[in-house]
Structure formats: structure tokens, C-alpha cells
Amino acid sequence: MDASTVSLLLLFGVAAVPFVPTEVALIGMGVAAAERDISLAPAVVVAVAGCLLCDYALYEVGRRAGTTVLARLSGRARVRVGVRWIEQHAGRRPMAVLVVARWLPAGGTVGSLLAGSLRWPRSVFLPASAIGVTLWSTYTATLGYLGGRLFTEPLLSFAASSLVALLLTVTVSTVVQPRSPGSA
């Protein structure tokens, strides 16, 4: 088995396990693809498959014990923000909310658990998850790839790409911050 195959298998494993930083692995794969001048497509496809598997497993957990799990996770401030934002917007446009939630810290996890606990039909959840993970995986791998093209030093490429990802995540988190009842 060559290094590329091993890397893709590891990426799948990381993407399929909740709370493991898939973004870090995918940015690294993007940097490596740029350095080797190879396609990003295999990394994106593998990440999408792993994230979809993870999302569906979390959705099923949500259907069975979602309120208990979300209550436990809501002790974390970033998770609480994600839950509130998703709850506020899910009634109007559930598919769009699940796609956007991907860019919130723990948003994919929270969105999948919440969708399951709210008993969203699979016909709503699965397409929304597929769109969200495809867009997010493509965006994340592309950040790594662009960093790898802009900088010749791999560590600098990774750091620059990760910084951009962090800034975009903070920006999205700030923009979608739930408004308090008294705010305009």
C-alpha cells in the first residue's frame, strides 16, 4: 500500500469519527496535493464519504437519544451557540441551515444530532448533509491546496491555510450569532 492510499484511509477514519478535527487533516491533504502537483479530488471524495457516514451516525444517535446528548454537549459555549442558531433558523429553511451549520464550530455534529432529535425526515437531512459536506470538504481542501501553492515551505502553507480557515470560521460564527430577545 503506497503513502497516498494510507493517507486517504487515515483521512476517511478522521472524517468518520465525531469530534476529530477533520479540517486539520483535510487542509494537510490539500497542502500535500499542491506540493506533489496532484489532484485534490480523491481527498475531497474520501472526506465527503467519511463526513456523510459520521453525519448519518450522529443523525441516528439524535433520533434515539438526541436531547440527552445535546444537553450534555451544551455545556460547551461554542456548542450552545450552534444549537441556538440552528434552532432559531431550522423551521424556515432546514436544508440551508444544515449546510451553513457546517462552518460553525462543532456545527456538523450539532446539526446532525439536532436534525435527528427533531425527527427531520431523512429526505431532508441526507441531501442537506451531502451538500454541506461536499461544499465544506471542497472549501477546506482548496484552502490547503492554495496555501501549498502560495508558500513553498509545507509548515508555512499549513499554518497560513489554517489561519484563513480559523478566520472564516470566526467570521461565520460571529455573523450567525443568535440574537438575544431584546436585540434589534
Side-chain angles (χ1 to χ4, degrees), residues 46-101:
V46 166
V48 166
C51 287
L52 277 173
L53 178 65
C54 181
D55 280 6
Y56 188 70
L58 289 167
Y59 171 85
E60 288 299 328
V61 168
R63 288 183 70 84
R64 288 166 179 70
T67 52
T68 304
V69 173
L70 283 170
R72 211 172 278 161
L73 291 175
S74 289
R76 301 176 184 173
R78 292 175 4 158
V79 172
R80 230 182 359 262
V81 167
V83 168
R84 279 193 310 237
W85 185 84
I86 292 168
E87 285 175 334
Q88 284 178 347
H89 295 89
R92 291 178 290 189
R93 295 189 177 122
M95 287 184 78
V97 166
L98 200 56
V99 170
V100 172

Side-chain angles (χ1 to χ4, degrees), residues 9 20 29 37 47 53 64 87 106 123 129 150-151 153:
L9 288 172
V20 176
M29 293 292 284
D37 200 27
L53 178 65
R64 288 166 179 70
E87 285 175 334
S123 62
S129 177
L150 290 173
F151 303 101
E153 173 59 39

Side-chain angles (χ1 to χ4, degrees), residues 15 22 26 40-41 43-53 55 98-100 102-103 108 125-143:
T22 306
L26 201 45
L40 270 179
V44 171
V45 169
V46 166
V48 166
C51 287
L52 277 173
L53 178 65
D55 280 6
L98 200 56
V99 170
V100 172
R102 233 333 122 202
W103 278 265
F125 173 74
L126 289 172
S129 177
I131 291 166
V133 300
T134 301
L135 292 173
W136 181 84
S137 295
T138 302
Y139 142 81
T140 304
T142 300
L143 279 179

Side-chain angles (χ1 to χ4, degrees), residues 24 26-36 143-163:
V24 172
L26 201 45
I27 286 172
M29 293 292 284
V31 170
E35 288 177 355
R36 293 185 185 120
L143 279 179
Y145 190 85
L146 292 174
R149 287 290 187 203
L150 290 173
F151 303 101
T152 56
E153 173 59 39
L155 193 54
L156 183 58
S157 300
F158 181 79
S161 299
S162 297
L163 180 62

